[in-house]
Amino acid sequence: MTGDHQALALLLFSAFVAVTLGITTWVSRHRHGSAEEFYAGGRLFSPMENGFAIAGDYMSAASFLGISGLIALYGYDGLLYSVGFLVAWLVVLFLVAELVRNCGRFTLADVVAARMTERPVRIAAGTSSVTVSVLYLVAQMVGAGSLVALLLGGTSGAAQTWTVIGVGALMVIYVSFGGMRATTWIQIVKAVLLLGGTVTLTVLVLVRFHGDFDRLLLTAAERSGHGASFLAPGLKYGGDWTARLDFISLGLALVLGTAGLPHILSRFYTVPTARAARRSVVWSIGLIGGFYLMTIVLGFGAAAIVGPEAVRGSNAAGNTAVPLLALDLGGGADSTGGTVLFAIVAAVAFATILAVVAGITLASSASVAHDLYASLRRRKSKPRSEVAVARAAAVGIGVIAIALGLLARDLNVAFLVGLAFAVAASANLPVLLYSLFWRGFTTRGAVWAVYGGLIPAVVLVLLSPVVSGSPESLFPGVDFQYFPLQNPGLVSIPLGFVAGWFGTVTSSELPDEAKHAETEVRSLTGAGAV
């Protein structure tokens, strides 16, 4: 990067940070200090505002940069990531959003514990939620360390270290002082910036090809070196059955995992009614759908204009496809237009990371305070305010994320994101669906569903080729690979459902019909919802 790139990127970074810190300061001066204010922003957000915030929470740097890079390198097979992330929202809309808003207060455990023995269920659900959140958070921190440092022209260890520390410190400030209200407005600002930047690049790509999308695809196929196979299935996930099963496993994790992500579920509590929660999801589907359609144009545009070899030469995983495309569309590396577009992409990527880590940190600190602390606190000990515990938890989680981000800065980020989705789909989704729809579900079934999905998901990833056994592994020098798939979802998701069923049918506990009836009426009508 030239000095102009760095100066402009730093200026835009600083402007975004200043705006978000201003929002946090303003919100902190008007806060009431209640749990509802800290966790749910007072439940005062409109469906449109919450829809933008959900979109801002969901559209991570992996989506903006990673998916476009995969399409640029693998064509059709990369495109399927966009489909998986978008289809996941139909599961959220039809099965989760409204019912979760009616049944819970702040966390996933609220929904499950509504008709169960609270303590074991809250500990299990809280543990799972924190695990998913930390894994997702570390992935974002690693991305911040490598991506932002690269965009700023500093690939040294010191640049990555200070980037990770800076992002971690900012997310702790956002959450500790501003809570959900500040986090929501940061996500809204980020969503507007991301969509604006993506629309601009998409229009410029289509103008380059005079609006002819067929010509764009044919040019991308020609430059790919793979010809027509670039536009057909199988370039990345074709070949043997292991690769095909791996794709099915990844697809299951992406489609089902979204409905179990704690930071997504917590957004449904920020609106006043279940109807508003449903309308929020409709807004978010429109925004996210438009965004993923545009990543398809950007991915094939990068393949056609920059070329897969240049993309791979800059970053083997394709993460720099969009910045390189922006440089070219703006007029080249030495042009003012290229400098401006490149800096905008860098600033948007940074804004994306900050908004996502703030949302994840808030969700995980809520699980620590509202579920784990409330369940594990000794009865005779002096009670502390949940909000105070949540703020302390945000600091602790921030320190852990910074430490793990620094330790894992040279590791594969995709592995961490895939694991987070797989754990969410394996541990959180089965217990959530059983609690909402199975009349005979018991406390033992709930605990077994969580641990029956959580433990296999983590163990199978540790024994997979992602961690050891191949040159691309996290630890290429050792080999304890006993599981052939890179994503455990195909095995661990069914195990979570089976464990919940088996725990229930072997339980001597009689389901509380009155509690189930109350929960059912509340989930479907909203009567008695907080």
Side-chain angles (χ1 to χ4, degrees):
M1 275 183 68
T2 64
D4 290 339
H5 286 103
Q6 291 183 28
L8 191 54
L10 281 170
L11 180 64
L12 292 172
F13 282 11
S14 302
F16 178 78
V17 171
V19 169
T20 52
L21 286 176
I23 291 171
T24 304
T25 303
W26 179 78
V27 168
S28 66
R29 293 172 65 182
H30 294 80
R31 70 187 183 200
H32 304 295
S34 67
E36 185 175 68
E37 174 70 26
F38 185 80
Y39 295 142
R43 309 189 197 281
L44 298 174
F45 291 100
S46 69
M48 184 182 73
E49 290 168 345
N50 197 44
F52 268 89
I54 291 172
D57 215 356
Y58 190 69
M59 297 183 300
S60 66
S63 299
F64 181 48
L65 301 172
I67 292 178
S68 299
L70 286 169
I71 294 173
L73 296 180
Y74 301 107
Y76 183 93
D77 280 12
L79 166 85
L80 293 174
Y81 274 81
S82 294
V83 176
F85 279 122
L86 182 56
V87 169
W89 281 99
L90 298 179
V91 179
V92 177
L93 176 63
F94 291 118
L95 293 180
V96 172
E98 215 172 333
L99 304 182
V100 165
R101 173 61 188 85
N102 282 338
C103 288
R105 291 185 67 216
F106 306 124
T107 64
L108 165 70
D110 287 336
V111 180
V112 183
R115 61 188 183 95
M116 308 287 177
T117 304
E118 282 206 32
R119 193 168 188 269
V121 168
R122 284 193 180 278
I123 292 172
T127 301
S128 174
S129 295
V130 172
T131 302
V132 173
S133 297
V134 169
L135 288 170
Y136 210 111
L137 193 57
V138 171
Q140 297 296 323
M141 299 297 281
V142 172
S146 58
L147 176 65
V148 179
L150 176 66
L151 290 175
L152 289 174
T155 56
S156 66
Q160 294 188 28
T161 298
W162 284 110
T163 302
V164 169
I165 293 173
V167 170
L170 283 170
M171 78 182 186
V172 169
I173 292 170
Y174 293 150
V175 173
S176 299
F177 291 96
M180 177 58 85
R181 191 169 297 195
T183 299
T184 299
W185 283 110
I186 290 166
Q187 288 163 347
I188 291 172
V189 171
K190 168 259 174 136
V192 172
L193 287 175
L194 182 59
L195 289 169
T198 308
V199 167
T200 301
L201 292 178
T202 301
V203 169
L204 290 174
V205 169
L206 293 176
V207 167
R208 177 72 66 93
F209 289 90
H210 306 290
D212 190 341
F213 193 68
D214 285 344
R215 184 181 165 198
L216 167 63
L217 294 178
L218 292 173
T219 306
E222 288 173 7
R223 294 204 63 180
S224 71
H226 299 286
S229 62
F230 187 72
L231 304 177
L235 195 60
K236 180 174 175 63
Y237 291 104
D240 60 12
W241 279 103
T242 300
R244 298 181 186 185
L245 289 174
D246 218 352
F247 177 71
I248 295 172
S249 187
L250 177 64
L252 277 176
L254 295 180
V255 170
L256 299 179
T258 300
L261 291 175
H263 64 291
I264 298 298
L265 294 176
S266 66
R267 291 239 50 92
F268 300 134
Y269 300 124
T270 64
V271 289
T273 64
R275 184 170 180 266
R278 185 176 68 250
R279 290 175 62 197
S280 296
V281 177
V282 173
W283 269 99
S284 65
I285 287 176
L287 296 169
I288 294 167
F291 169 75
Y292 282 123
L293 286 175
M294 290 187 286
T295 61
I296 295 171
V297 176
L298 297 185
F300 284 114
I305 296 171
V306 180
E309 289 306 314
V311 172
R312 192 176 282 108
S314 174
N315 183 276
N319 288 333
T320 55
V322 172
L324 292 174
L325 176 64
L327 269 178
D328 196 293
L329 291 172
D334 297 324
S335 67
T336 302
T339 299
V340 170
L341 274 182
F342 189 97
I344 289 173
V345 168
V348 167
F350 188 63
T352 297
I353 289 168
L354 280 181
V356 172
V357 297
I360 299 168
T361 305
L362 183 60
S364 53
S365 63
S367 291
V368 170
H370 189 63
D371 300 326
L372 297 179
Y373 170 75
S375 299
L376 296 173
R377 180 177 61 83
R378 293 178 181 176
R379 293 181 181 177
K380 294 183 180 180
S381 64
K382 183 180 178 181
R384 295 182 60 195
S385 163
E386 259 193 34
V387 174
V389 174
R391 290 197 175 103
V395 175
I397 290 166
V399 171
I400 292 171
I402 290 171
L404 292 177
L406 292 176
L407 289 173
R409 63 186 177 193
D410 296 323
L411 302 186
N412 190 321
V413 179
F415 141 73
L416 294 168
V417 174
L419 177 57
F421 271 85
V423 172
S426 304
N428 290 348
L429 186 63
V431 72
L432 181 60
L433 294 184
Y434 278 151
S435 297
L436 292 172
F437 298 110
W438 187 6
R439 181 179 294 273
F441 197 44
T442 64
T443 300
R444 177 193 280 186
V447 174
W448 284 26
V450 173
Y451 293 128
L454 176 66
I455 296 172
V458 174
V459 170
L460 289 177
V461 168
L462 292 176
L463 300 179
S464 75
V466 176
V467 176
S468 69
S470 70
E472 296 80 24
S473 299
L474 302 180
F475 304 106
V478 294
D479 186 1
F480 45 88
Q481 176 201 333
Y482 299 101
F483 181 66
L485 305 182
Q486 294 191 9
N487 191 287
L490 191 61
V491 176
S492 61
I493 295 172
L495 282 178
F497 281 98
V498 170
W501 168 82
F502 190 69
T504 297
V505 299
T506 59
S507 172
S508 59
E509 174 189 355
L510 292 176
D512 190 325
E513 293 292 335
K515 276 190 175 182
H516 175 78
E518 180 185 344
T519 303
E520 188 174 38
V521 170
R522 180 172 166 180
S523 67
L524 295 175
T525 67
V530 179

